[in-house]
């Protein structure tokens, strides 16, 4: 299986997407998550709004686009889990097997990220129930602090919701590509979009919409500095699910005839649109109660419930908001689990069910450390802080840029022009040349800058 011809014939061992639309929905489902609805608005909030949004958009198109195309391309050509694909392609294109470690880093990152992502996603399920019960109705600032502290201090509550969330994720993955992944995204993605539209209308009519808009789109460059530039790049990475083998693995199930370039554009536009819409929902609601958006991570779990507690219809629309967050997180979580499950099926020759349950249980157990980071182990700090802080730092700031960089460099510098252009519109097309320029020069240099900054070199 290591000669050139086999590349063309190689088929995915796990099946294929039924259509391009499903593929776009699945990758968009992966991309749209807590990163868009929770992280993006608060990052924009603490970095001064409009100017940050502008830089973020630049990063999405100059760095995110070429890396996403590279990952899908490698996935489709390798047709295996990220580790095995990189090993096969490394051998075929360069005669060197060690490229597989790029895939290994991606697999590890996905494992690690899902362990804490699931705990935070569990919080959103808990908040959905609390909001629906009307707990936030008329609540004051100290009230929302109390609710949030009660949740993070309770091991039991967090474990219960983390368990529910992981169980749902495992269930979907165990059912396979068509009955699991496809069905989940074709139901949840349209639902997510409809809920967003409803909430936008609510924000326009009930919130301070103009102030929200002006906060997001009026650039105030005085607030920008080197670190906000770097955090915008990091956010672009995280929000597009890059460097983790998710997009790579989904690419392995993409039929040969579908255009990678057009699909990527659709996915990126969808992810960006949802991040901007999330801001247009959250900021007007926050401003309507005269609150400050620069609250950091507490924006969704403290400021927003406080605002929902004051305005009319807050209980219903607040609950809808947290369902939205739960859906967004679930379609991302399945993409985090799939790569290691595909790896285990291929390497250990076990069924999808066994693989999903085994890996899922491992991730669930690791997640307990995140739960404990907010209570029992909150004083146990080293390097970047609690165990949770370290997981997040290691995954988002070190593992992701490293494997994202390796994927892109491999695809644009080491893979032959013949192979890459076969996957991407042919050697003479503008799409191919555009991708190759961004992937060879712009993206690697930018990622290197983030990386060197993170490890403190400059
Ligand atoms: N892109 C997702 C988000 O924005 C997070 C994610 C990261 C999902 C990595 C899958 C893989 O929340």
């Amino acid at each position: 299986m290591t000669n050139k011809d086999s590349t063309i014939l190689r088929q995915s061992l796990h099946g294929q997407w039924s259509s391009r639309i499903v593929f776009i929905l699945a990758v968009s489902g992966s991309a749209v998550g807590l990163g868009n609805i929770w992280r993006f608005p608060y990052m924009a909030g603490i970095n001064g709004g409009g100017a940050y949004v502008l830089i973020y958009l630049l990063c999405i198109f100059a760095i995110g686009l070429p890396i996403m195309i590279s990952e899908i391309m490698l996935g489709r050509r390798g047709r295996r889990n990220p580790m095995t694909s990189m090993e096969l392609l490394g051998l075929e294109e360069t005669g060197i097997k060690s490229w597989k470690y790029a895939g290994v880093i991606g697999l590890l990152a996905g494992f690690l990220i899902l362990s804490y992502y699931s705990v935070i996603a569990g919080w959103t399920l808990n908040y959905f129930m609390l909001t629906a019960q009307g707990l936030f109705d008329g609540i004051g600032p100290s009230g929302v602090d109390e609710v949030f502290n009660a949740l993070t201090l309770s091991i039991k509550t967090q474990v219960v919701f983390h368990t529910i969330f992981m169980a749902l994720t495992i269930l979907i993955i165990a059912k396979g590509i068509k009955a699991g992944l496809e069905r989940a995204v074709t139901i949840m993605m349209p639902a997510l979009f409809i809920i967003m539209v409803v909430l936008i209308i609510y924000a326009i009519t009930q919130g301070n919409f103009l102030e929200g808009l002006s906060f997001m789109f009026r650039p105030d460059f005085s607030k920008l500095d080197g670190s906000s530039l770097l955090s915008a790049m990091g956010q672009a990475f995280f929000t597009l699910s890059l460097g983790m083998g998710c997009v790579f693995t989904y690419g392995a199930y993409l039929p040969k005839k579908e255009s990678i370039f057009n699909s990527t554009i659709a996915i990126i536009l969808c992810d960006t649109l949802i991040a901007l819409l999330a801001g247009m929902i959250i900021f007007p609601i926050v401003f309507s109660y005269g609150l400050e958006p620069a609250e950091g991570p507490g924006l969704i779990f403290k400021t927003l419930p406080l605002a929902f507690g004051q305005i009319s219809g807050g209980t219903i629309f607040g609950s809808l908001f947290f369902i939205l967050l739960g859906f967004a997180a679930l379609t991302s979580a399945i993409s985090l689990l799939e790569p290691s499950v595909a790896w285990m099926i291929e390497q250990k020759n076990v069924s999808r069910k066994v693989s999903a349950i085994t890996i899922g249980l491992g991730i669930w157990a690791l997640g307990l450390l995140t739960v404990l980071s907010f209570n029992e182990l909150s004083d146990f700090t080293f390097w970047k802080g609690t165990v949770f802080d370290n997981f997040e730092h290691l995954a988002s700031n070190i593992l992701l840029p490293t494997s994202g960089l390796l994927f892109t460099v491999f695809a644009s510098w080491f893979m032959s022009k013949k192979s890459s252009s076969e996957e991407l519109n042919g050697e003479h097309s503008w799409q191919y040349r555009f991708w190759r320029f961004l992937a060879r020069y712009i993206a690697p240099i930018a990622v290197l800058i983030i990386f060197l900054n993170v490890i403190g070199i400059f």
Side-chain angles (χ1 to χ4, degrees):
M1 276 270 251
T2 53
N3 64 43
K4 288 255 167 186
D5 297 336
S6 64
T7 313
I8 313 300
L9 299 175
R10 202 152 51 217
Q11 286 300 323
S12 165
L13 299 174
H14 309 281
Q16 290 202 345
W17 303 112
S18 328
S19 68
R20 185 158 79 97
I21 299 296
V22 183
F23 170 72
I24 293 175
L25 282 180
V27 184
S28 304
S30 168
V32 173
L34 298 173
N36 303 59
I37 305 173
W38 171 54
R39 202 162 181 264
F40 171 74
Y42 88 68
M43 296 280 266
I46 51 184
N47 286 295
Y52 176 86
V53 174
L54 217 71
I55 302 291
Y56 164 82
L57 291 178
L58 203 75
C59 293
I60 290 281
F61 287 94
I63 306 171
L65 177 80
I67 298 187
M68 183 174 275
I69 292 179
S70 307
E71 281 200 30
I72 302 177
M73 175 191 285
L74 295 175
R76 182 160 78 177
R77 217 159 167 84
R79 291 281 191 216
R80 296 288 179 272
N81 74 80
M83 182 190 100
T84 316
S85 288
M86 286 307 289
E87 186 175 359
L88 287 173
L89 295 175
L91 268 178
E92 283 167 5
E93 301 286 339
T94 65
I96 300 169
K97 278 212 309 211
S98 335
W99 281 104
K100 79 171 183 196
Y101 293 106
V104 172
I105 301 171
L107 287 175
L108 288 177
F111 197 89
L112 203 60
I113 292 178
L114 185 52
S115 80
Y116 63 79
Y117 201 81
S118 166
V119 175
I120 313 281
W123 294 359
T124 73
L125 298 184
N126 180 249
Y127 263 63
F128 160 66
M129 290 181 49
L130 299 178
T131 317
Q133 286 161 9
L135 183 78
F136 294 109
D137 210 3
I139 203 167
S142 59
V144 283
D145 277 348
E146 260 167 44
V147 175
F148 187 68
N149 292 340
L151 169 63
T152 49
L153 289 177
S154 164
I155 298 178
K156 196 170 134 214
T157 315
Q158 289 188 87
V159 169
V160 167
F161 287 97
H162 166 52
T163 308
I164 297 175
F165 189 80
M166 270 316 291
L168 289 173
T169 309
I170 294 172
L171 200 76
I172 296 173
I173 291 300
K175 284 185 175 297
I177 297 189
K178 294 226 158 62
L181 285 164
E182 279 199 17
R183 215 166 45 170
V185 299
T186 41
I187 296 171
M188 280 190 277
M189 290 307 284
L192 186 139
F193 201 74
I194 293 170
I195 298 176
M196 288 220 95
V197 172
V198 171
L199 286 173
I200 266 282
I201 296 173
Y202 178 69
I204 293 174
T205 53
Q206 296 295 318
N208 193 339
F209 196 66
L210 287 183
E211 197 178 335
L213 273 194
S214 112
F215 177 75
M216 263 194 32
F217 293 109
R218 199 191 44 222
D220 173 4
F221 286 99
S222 68
K223 292 243 174 72
L224 270 193
D225 57 14
S227 80
S228 42
L229 178 72
L230 294 169
S231 82
M233 283 202 262
Q235 172 64 10
F237 235 90
F238 187 80
T239 190
L240 293 176
S241 309
L242 298 174
M244 264 154 289
C246 297
V247 174
F248 194 120
T249 306
Y250 279 7
Y253 312 150
L254 181 66
K256 196 92 206 157
K257 62 180 197 310
E258 306 296 354
S259 158
I260 293 181
F261 193 88
N262 295 350
S263 307
T264 305
I265 298 281
I267 293 159
I268 287 188
L269 287 178
C270 174
D271 185 75
T272 307
L273 180 73
I274 299 226
L276 295 178
L277 283 180
M280 287 187 222
I281 291 167
I282 291 164
F283 295 128
I285 292 176
V286 167
F287 284 127
S288 72
Y289 186 52
L291 297 168
E292 274 303 307
E295 282 288 321
L299 182 62
I300 293 298
F301 294 108
K302 292 184 186 172
T303 317
L304 203 63
L306 184 59
F308 274 127
Q310 312 303 318
I311 50 185
S312 63
T315 297
I316 293 181
F317 291 96
S319 317
L320 260 187
F321 178 84
F322 284 106
I323 297 187
L324 168 81
L325 214 54
F327 277 172
L330 191 54
T331 52
S332 298
I334 53 181
S335 77
L336 281 159
L337 184 56
E338 177 64 20
S340 6
V341 168
W343 169 84
M344 190 170 174
I345 300 172
E346 291 170 27
Q347 296 289 311
K348 309 285 172 211
N349 232 336
V350 292
S351 72
R352 176 168 274 274
K353 233 190 226 128
V354 170
S355 171
I357 294 173
T358 316
I359 305 244
L361 275 178
I363 293 175
W364 174 84
L366 192 63
L368 298 180
L369 287 177
T370 292
V371 169
L372 295 175
S373 299
F374 298 101
N375 35 69
E376 292 297 310
L377 294 181
S378 62
D379 293 329
F380 175 62
T381 54
F382 56 102
W383 194 31
K384 296 291 167 187
T386 61
V387 177
F388 164 67
D389 295 331
N390 282 299
F391 279 2
E392 222 223 322
H393 181 78
L394 177 67
S396 323
N397 298 335
I398 298 183
L399 300 178
L400 300 194
T402 308
S403 79
L405 183 69
L406 290 173
F407 289 149
T408 305
V409 165
F410 178 80
S412 61
W413 286 95
F414 289 88
M415 211 164 159
S416 69
K417 244 185 165 173
K418 179 176 172 296
S419 307
S420 54
S421 64
E422 249 172 40
E423 299 293 334
L424 198 68
N425 302 53
E427 207 177 302
H428 301 292
S429 65
W430 70 266
Q431 290 94 334
Y432 181 72
R433 280 187 280 176
F434 180 64
W435 164 76
R436 207 164 135 95
F437 171 72
L438 290 177
R440 292 193 118 195
Y441 305 103
I442 307 297
I445 292 171
V447 173
L448 231 100
I449 293 174
I450 311 181
F451 194 59
L452 293 180
N453 178 274
V454 164
I455 57 176
I457 290 186
F458 92 118

